[in-house]
Amino acid sequence: MGGRRLSDRGGRAGLNRRPSPEYRLVTSQGGLADLLVILGAQPRIAVDTEFHREKTYFPKVALVQVAWEGGLVLIDPLEVDLAPLADLLESDVVVVMHAAGQDLEVFDRVCGTAPRHLFDTQVAAGFTGLSSPSLSTLHERELGFHLPKGDRLTDWLARPLTASQLEYAASDVAHLLEIHDRLVRRLGDDGRLAWAEQECREMLVREHGRRNPDDAWQRIKEARQLRGPARDVARSVAAWRERRAAQVDIPVRHVLPDLGLVAVAQRAPKE
């Protein structure tokens, strides 16, 4: 689940921790092939990723976590080509994820595709009255225990990974199917399950086009407030910035900061 959510971890007084999840590492192409046979026979799987993108435009995947009824694996993408995961993602298997936006970008980057059937627990929880809950919050509310805390500055690309890093990563998916069960049951009872499923489908469409350079200006609050020619300039400069960042694989802010972009738009030459 990458660096962006490490700070979600926490815990309330009185909550317990469950025993550390059991997992195995997949570090060979043959091991991944054997795993895909198992996963392809499952009705659903829980999936998460750890990645870095602080110094790059594209996320660099460092670990993929997958759990199913009776098993949990951590796939090392520094040792294994993840491209074969594409067939699994495009199959009838339901892929349960939490706050999947950036994870979807990871899979689009390394597999060229996204889950055909996605159930995002953060999206679904919104239909139960929670507004964008963290993964830790869902564990506390639904299962009554908190997740292990992690180091916000952990380097997931370093090898070997420590036991605490691996435990942290495994815990992200170890109980996600339990949460899926509870959310499906609650939403079904409330007549809202179809709404949540539709929103997950729409999320797939939105995320697929999220990096359209021509829409980049919409992610800049100050640019959205511009009007007339200034907005047109902001739109053009934001699109250029997005393409340039992708071309050299650096964060957009390293090409031109948001405030610099807005300043250019506001001071564009007059004809």
Side-chain angles (χ1 to χ4, degrees):
M1 113 177 127
R4 78 259 180 221
R5 279 173 283 176
L6 293 180
S7 60
D8 283 346
R9 297 305 181 82
R12 297 197 299 264
L15 292 174
N16 298 316
R17 273 191 58 185
R18 291 194 181 182
S20 300
E22 295 184 2
Y23 58 86
R24 64 183 178 89
L25 289 170
V26 174
T27 58
S28 71
Q29 216 61 41
L32 178 61
D34 292 341
L35 173 65
L36 290 176
V37 172
I38 296 172
L39 297 181
Q42 305 301 315
R44 60 178 183 160
I45 57 176
V47 177
D48 191 30
T49 70
E50 305 294 346
F51 60 85
H52 276 284
R53 73 179 316 160
E54 286 78 8
K55 298 180 180 180
T56 60
Y57 178 84
F58 297 105
K60 293 188 179 298
V61 61
L63 201 66
V64 177
Q65 306 97 286
V66 184
W68 65 98
E69 299 293 346
L72 195 162
V73 298
L74 307 178
I75 306 170
D76 187 348
L78 303 192
E79 302 288 341
V80 178
D81 180 6
L82 299 177
L85 285 172
D87 288 342
L88 176 68
L89 295 176
E90 293 175 346
S91 72
D92 290 332
V93 175
V94 175
V95 178
V96 181
M97 306 177 78
H98 182 83
Q102 295 193 71
D103 299 306
L104 294 176
E105 187 179 355
V106 167
F107 285 120
D108 183 63
R109 180 72 174 163
V110 299
C111 301
T113 191
R116 180 182 173 195
H117 301 289
L118 171 69
F119 188 97
D120 189 309
T121 53
Q122 185 179 74
V123 169
F127 289 90
T128 70
L130 293 179
S131 177
S132 300
S134 68
L135 187 60
S136 182
T137 296
L138 280 185
H139 277 74
E140 293 166 6
R141 189 187 82 159
E142 300 295 336
L143 304 179
F145 70 93
H146 61 74
L147 293 170
K149 295 182 180 180
D151 181 357
R152 293 185 62 223
L153 302 179
T154 194
D155 184 358
W156 290 105
L157 292 171
R159 293 296 184 273
L161 293 171
T162 66
S164 61
Q165 284 178 304
L166 295 172
E167 177 188 345
Y168 177 96
S171 68
D172 285 340
V173 294
H175 306 287
L176 199 54
L177 295 182
E178 292 181 65
I179 292 174
H180 176 237
D181 283 335
R182 289 171 178 264
L183 289 174
V184 167
R185 186 162 50 247
R186 180 176 291 116
L187 291 170
D189 291 343
D190 293 343
R192 298 179 177 181
L193 180 58
W195 300 354
E197 292 174 338
Q198 178 61 33
E199 182 62 23
C200 288
R201 287 191 291 270
E202 292 177 1
M203 178 184 182
L204 285 171
V205 175
R206 288 196 304 272
E207 291 300 325
H208 182 70
R210 190 170 70 90
R211 286 290 173 177
N212 182 349
D214 294 330
D215 294 333
W217 69 277
Q218 297 181 25
R219 298 192 293 273
I220 307 171
K221 179 180 177 181
E222 294 81 3
R224 295 197 304 270
Q225 296 172 350
L226 297 174
R227 296 292 182 269
R231 174 178 284 191
D232 293 337
V233 172
R235 182 186 292 112
S236 297
V237 174
W240 166 82
R241 182 179 73 162
E242 200 78 18
R243 293 188 179 95
R244 179 58 181 167
Q247 181 182 25
V248 296
D249 196 18
I250 62 174
V252 293
R253 67 181 182 277
H254 290 180
V255 176
L256 181 66
D258 286 357
L259 292 181
L261 186 153
V262 173
V264 170
Q266 291 174 327
R267 296 173 175 81
K270 301 289 190 293
E271 291 186 0

